[in-house]
Amino acid sequence: MASLDQVSIAILLGAALVMAGILSSLLALRFGAPLLLVFLLIGVMAGDAGPGQIEFSDLRSTYLVGSVALALILFDGGLRTRFQNISAVLAPSMVLATAGVLLTALITAPVAKYALDLNWTEALLVGAVVASTDAAAVFLLVHAQGLRLRPRVGATLEAESGTNDPFAVFLTLMLVELISAGSSSFAHVAMELGREAVLGAVAGILGGRIVVIALNRVALPQGLHAPFVLTSALVIFGAAQIAHASGFLAVYLAGIIIGNRPTRAHNAVVTFLDAATWLAQIVMFVLLGLLVSPQRLVTSIGPAVIVALVLMLVARPLAVFLCLAPFRFNWREKIFIAWTGLRGAVAIFLASIPMLVGLSKAYLYFDVAFVIVVISLLLQGWTLAAAARRLHVALPRSDRGPRRVELDLPGQLEQQLVGYPVRPKSLFFRRGLTPSWSKPTLVIRDENILSPIEADPVRPGDYIYLLAPPEKAEALDRFFVDMPPSSAPDPHLLGDFTVSGEHTLGELAEVYGVKVNPDETTLTLADYFDIHLDHAPKEGATLDLDTIVLVARSISGGRVNVIGLRLPEDPEEVPPPPPPLELLKQKLASFWSSLAGI
């Protein structure tokens, strides 16, 4: 019975720690504190050196939980990644995720060697452990502080975060093997890297396509779609790892494939994985915090601080500027991308690998990584929003999207039933705007179900359901949010020839002599974009209006508020041939699209 009591106590303490992490997230979000740091500190306080006095040293369980958590985090990131958002920044993101990680490790290694009294291989292992970024934490902080990034900057960081972790894992494992075995050749390392990357990509793409086919063809009971996708992600990860491929790359690519294909119960899957990912992060960081020994940290905190400062202020910026030199990023964007080198889950997880295999000085790697993560979260995490505003890479934060309910219609995927509350200041209510590809189906008013004809006119407080293609359903969101007041656009985003989105098509027709549909003369230019775009407007989106082209120059509150005019006499009818680098980027994006089937 005593052993059963111990099991019950372990369950109680484990659940209490996770609950503490969940509740602490509310306080952290309120004050803008980095959540990962909160979870780590809860684990430290619960450990044998803190008031909790819990003795925990199970490295194998920690590695198992960390692997599962990191796989789920990467899969969830891939699932939420829209390929059209990252295709334009695929080349710079891949360079940052590979050459950037390697350069960061190489620049950090000499400082680690002399500050920590290590040999060159051990110093390079320290650099590899802390070389990858945790952009998931970055976006969580940006969201909590009411910011959204310029699309190109955000997409670059998003793609880099999903692909630099596998490279950092590979580099760390190769160095651990090198230290354990004592010798290895450059050719062997390069061959292993290529094999793991290729097999991981194949496993991810094939696995993702198989999951899509299974989701759409197998009649699973309601509620089992999300657990099926989650377990499928772990199967892909485990199979790739057993085949000595990069399981982390495989699971990220599988997420991209599944997230960019029409599937059943997509909204339920995303919601379920969001909760599972949160829980995985909390459990992983609490366990990693339990492994920390404050007494050990005292001896290594000084050198670790030096390594952290060099990493943040020298290694990461140099790597970013060198990697992005061939691409068209301005200096503000490069500085911000360099400052977002936030260290988190991957660094501490990789630092536990030397302890698991029993390397000498294993706890030194772990302690140094812990100190670097804490300093990075404190210094970079709390100043990230201010840096985004100062460097003009932050756009005005749009209002929180409306509550949307998605219903999976049995037997077909061509249409999705989406429901919204009708708000008094929404485009739908004030101007009666809905895109032509959506169809109002029913209205709920005072707990009564009405047809659109019976409910006409729709009132604020009603709940309306519309049919829409699954790939366009999210674009309906902007019609059901409260319209924000027009705001002055960021001067860094404007072109030379622009007009306000509040001008009407009739006014534009009078000035430029363009032909406008008589039924649309009273529409504003912003309304024109809302009606005729089949997706949420983004900077650079274009629409033809007779002989001129309207170009979205600035977005505020989900609407186009500044529009550029491209007149017929603009010398752009015969565009010059793209430069060789741009042509290479286009071919790379086209090859990836055909390979992924997106």
Side-chain angles (χ1 to χ4, degrees), residues 147-441:
L147 293 174
R148 61 190 180 101
L149 301 177
R150 283 191 183 185
R152 181 171 65 165
V153 175
T156 300
L157 291 170
E158 183 179 0
E160 179 201 8
S161 69
T163 50
N164 70 359
D165 294 343
F167 187 80
V169 171
F170 168 80
L171 190 60
T172 300
L173 291 176
M174 291 302 299
L175 289 168
V176 169
E177 179 183 348
L178 179 61
I179 294 174
S180 302
S183 63
S184 184
S185 65
F186 176 79
H188 172 72
V189 172
M191 186 180 301
E192 286 292 317
L193 173 60
R195 182 177 60 82
E196 287 204 11
V198 171
L199 292 180
V202 171
I205 293 172
L206 290 180
R209 289 191 166 187
I210 291 173
V211 172
V212 170
I213 294 173
L215 271 176
N216 292 337
R217 295 188 180 181
V218 178
L220 291 173
Q222 189 72 22
L224 289 185
H225 296 88
F228 171 76
V229 173
L230 184 144
T231 52
S232 298
L234 296 180
V235 167
I236 294 171
F237 171 75
Q241 290 289 93
I242 292 174
H244 298 287
S246 174
F248 297 105
L249 178 61
V251 79
Y252 177 70
L253 293 178
I256 292 180
I257 298 297
I258 298 170
N260 285 271
R261 304 290 292 177
T263 58
R264 294 192 183 281
H266 176 77
N267 190 54
V269 169
V270 171
T271 302
F272 182 85
L273 274 171
D274 187 43
T277 303
W278 264 104
L279 183 61
Q281 288 189 88
I282 292 173
V283 172
M284 177 175 63
F285 274 88
V286 170
L287 288 181
L288 292 172
L290 288 171
L291 292 176
V292 174
S293 173
Q295 290 85 351
R296 283 200 323 266
L297 287 176
V298 174
T299 60
S300 57
I301 190 170
V305 169
I306 296 175
V307 175
L309 294 177
V310 171
L311 174 68
M312 291 185 294
L313 302 178
V314 180
R316 169 73 177 177
L318 275 178
V320 168
F321 272 78
L322 289 174
C323 291
L324 296 184
F327 306 101
R328 297 178 180 177
F329 286 84
N330 61 46
W331 64 270
R332 289 188 180 90
E333 294 171 333
K334 291 177 183 178
I335 291 178
F336 182 76
I337 292 173
W339 191 242
T340 54
L342 206 64
R343 269 62 196 175
V346 181
I348 302 182
F349 168 72
L350 294 181
S352 67
I353 296 177
M355 293 195 300
L356 181 65
V357 301
L359 289 185
S360 61
K361 304 178 182 178
Y363 280 99
L364 178 62
Y365 304 124
F366 187 88
D367 294 343
V368 170
F370 179 82
V371 172
I372 289 175
V373 167
V374 171
I375 294 176
S376 176
L377 291 173
L378 286 174
L379 184 59
Q380 294 174 305
W382 253 309
T383 60
L384 199 62
R389 294 190 185 98
R390 284 293 186 92
L391 295 170
H392 302 289
V393 298
L395 301 175
R397 181 68 185 178
S398 59
D399 293 339
R400 178 179 293 181
R403 181 187 177 194
R404 169 158 41 100
V405 178
E406 298 179 8
L407 300 179
D408 182 41
L409 301 180
Q412 54 86 42
L413 293 172
E414 286 75 21
Q415 295 290 317
Q416 191 173 66
L417 190 61
V418 188
Y420 295 93
V422 178
R423 299 184 178 184
K425 296 182 180 180
S426 63
L427 279 172
F428 174 79
F429 179 73
R430 293 181 62 179
R431 300 184 181 175
L433 297 179
T434 52
S436 58
W437 41 262
S438 67
K439 180 181 179 181
T441 304

Side-chain angles (χ1 to χ4, degrees), residues 113 251 380 412 456 480 539 568 586:
K113 170 180 167 52
V251 79
Q380 294 174 305
Q412 54 86 42
D456 190 46
F480 294 91
E539 289 180 41
Q586 294 175 2

